[in-house]
Amino acid sequence: MTGVPASAAGGPRTAPAVRPAGLWNIANVLTMLRLVLVPAFVVLLMHDNGTDRAWRAFAWAAFAIAMITDVFDGHLARTYNLVTDFGKIADPIADKAIMGAALVCLSVLGDLPWWVTGVILFRELGITLMRFWVIKHGVIPASRGGKIKTLAQGTAVGMYVLVLTGPLATFRWWVMAAAVVLTVATGLDYVRQAVVLRRAGLARERAARAEQDTAR
């Protein structure tokens, strides 16, 4: 016994264990905040049948906070190793809930055509189900187009939440049109990626089975 630590003597060093992230971390708290903001947003937007400008401004603020926290919670979780099972499940739910609530409420109020709401919700639900369809073969990564689509949707919906008139009311229509086009285009691209990923996965499985049969 020399009394000299193994690390100082040139011996092997043991890497410190990485502690799993707890439920109550900043990323999850932001996700929880978004979930709480969904019913609050609906109440604010639907107050007095959506005719009160002040209440709609508050609704816009709630929606904006939800969109901003959506950007930060995922970044914080990945950067500081705060990924948890709760976050994996709750984060996409919170994303779809706030956007879906906004679209449905705006259509109920007559501010947004139902076909727009239908196209966007169908795409979001379809892509979510498709991810589960191919998950055993791999994960479809979020594309740059998908991120631009999310930004366009958030901007367009936010503009519809506010009571706008004149040129701004016309401009928001074009922003929403661009969001719908991006929604459809990126949706088709995700379908293409899913088909390619599944075919590659099935090909690997067939090759593995053939190799096992040969080895017998």
Side-chain angles (χ1 to χ4, degrees), residues 51-190:
T51 59
D52 192 306
R53 288 174 175 264
W55 282 71
R56 290 190 70 142
F58 289 132
W60 177 87
F63 182 80
I65 292 172
M67 291 294 99
I68 292 172
T69 56
D70 178 31
V71 175
F72 283 106
D73 63 356
H75 175 72
L76 290 171
R78 291 186 297 271
T79 302
Y80 298 102
N81 193 31
L82 301 177
V83 177
T84 63
D85 291 338
F86 171 82
K88 292 177 183 178
I89 297 173
D91 183 66
I93 291 176
D95 297 343
K96 303 296 185 294
I98 188 66
M99 183 60 69
L103 291 167
V104 171
C105 287
L106 288 170
S107 292
V108 168
L109 293 173
D111 295 336
L112 188 66
W114 275 105
W115 71 265
V116 173
T117 295
V119 167
I120 294 177
L121 293 185
F122 178 78
R123 185 268 191 198
E124 299 301 334
L125 178 60
I127 296 303
T128 299
L129 294 176
M130 192 169 56
R131 286 180 184 275
F132 285 110
W133 180 54
V134 300
I135 194 168
K136 73 173 184 177
H137 302 297
V139 177
I140 303 176
S143 65
R144 179 173 297 181
K147 294 177 181 179
I148 295 174
K149 177 270 304 178
T150 300
L151 177 61
Q153 284 183 358
T155 302
V157 170
M159 294 181 74
Y160 269 85
V161 170
L162 291 171
V163 179
L164 301 178
T165 58
L168 285 177
T170 302
F171 179 66
R172 73 180 179 183
W173 185 92
W174 288 104
V175 177
M176 181 59 76
V180 171
V181 171
L182 286 169
T183 296
V184 174
T186 56
L188 293 174
D189 183 59
Y190 276 122

